[in-house]
Amino acid sequence: MTYHAIEWCPGADGKPVVRMIDQRLIPEQLKTLDYIDFEAVAAAIRDMVIRGAPAIGLAAGYGLALAAVRGPDDPGCLRETLAQAAATLRAARPTAVNLGWALDRMLARLSDPALATADALRSAAVTEAQAIDAENLQMDLDIARNAFPLIPDNANIYHHCNTGPLATGGYGTALGVICYAHEQGKQVHVFVDETRPRLQGARLTAWELQQMGIPFTVVPDGASGHIMRTQKIDLCIVGCDRVAANGDVANKIGTYNLALAASAHGVPFYSAGPSSTVDLATPTGGDIPIEMRPPEEITHISGVRITPEGASVANPAFDVTPAARLAAIITERGVAYPPFTESLARLMGGK
Ligand code: MRU
């Protein structure tokens, strides 16, 4: 992979910065932005400079590391700044559990009373965020290996949203599975849902598949029924933003529609994600908070209004696919099959 969604880099002033690809500009431009404070990182998550559940978790981790590195020298004051930074970052987006997961992990590390100086806190924060970064990549690779037997040769694969390196900061989850199968010599063709309204499929997944040299066809979200009726689709694979204890999966809006079409046509539907996306504390999909985004994402395209002035609009960013529509949930710890309440609890046993 020749690009990094997010990196911890030395800045012009000698102190570290968080460098992110501005995903709002792809595919027209591959441009990075440098961040020096946690408020701006929270805004970048909210405005979707960076997006994708594992990548926003990583951004939150590095955002907290920035707060540590650039915060006050008094350890007591620095701890207060870190608590405030964590609250600000946590509020950036509600659905992907990786955000809170990464912050909880960082805060647990930083709560160690042995970290008595500002420098000790700083060093621990940076080390922990970098560990999350390295683990993201390893988890992605393990997901891809675990899913490999589920991908037939000459497979037509349906995918929704974007789940590649841009979405994880690593190798990708669902798209990583596809990429790995391709790298291992399996023939694959990907049907790429365009993913209204932010077009993560048409813009980001199409761009990443081009980088990987994997053949694909971008289709409008509403085409899934038609495509499944008229083409041989072997499987659907998508990512996840939060997996409830019963196996209900929150993912990008439109995922549930795709799962219903797959179910009607007997096509297996898989969700792939790291164990940091599995939230056993959330009993069912009905308990997952669904982010509502600004109406302008629906009413306007590239700044041009497409709905009549005053039109009523709802813009839920995610939906929940009920566990009953899923053939399996693929994690780095293994593949969970129905009944998910038991299989997920087993996989997450050591968590
Ligand atoms: O709104 P986004 O672009 O952050 O939504 C992303 C998705 O829904 C992805 O499918 C999910 O986060 C998994 S990314 C590996």
Side-chain angles (χ1 to χ4, degrees), residues 48-71:
M48 297 174 72
V49 170
I50 189 157
R51 28 67 48 204
I56 65 177
L58 187 53
Y62 278 138
L64 207 59
L66 266 187
V69 167
R70 293 180 175 264

Side-chain angles (χ1 to χ4, degrees), residues 48-101:
M48 297 174 72
V49 170
I50 189 157
R51 28 67 48 204
I56 65 177
L58 187 53
Y62 278 138
L64 207 59
L66 266 187
V69 167
R70 293 180 175 264
D73 288 330
D74 174 76
C77 295
L78 183 54
R79 282 190 184 280
E80 278 171 31
T81 300
L82 291 171
Q84 188 197 337
T88 302
L89 289 159
R90 197 183 295 273
R93 292 188 79 186
T95 302
V97 72
N98 307 62
L99 182 59
W101 171 88

Side-chain angles (χ1 to χ4, degrees), residues 48 51-54 93 161-163 167-168 173 200 239-241 251-252 318:
M48 297 174 72
R51 28 67 48 204
R93 292 188 79 186
C161 195
N162 172 261
T163 63
T168 70
T173 57
Q200 290 94 328
C240 38
D241 286 83
N251 192 50
K252 178 52 52 192
F318 299 95

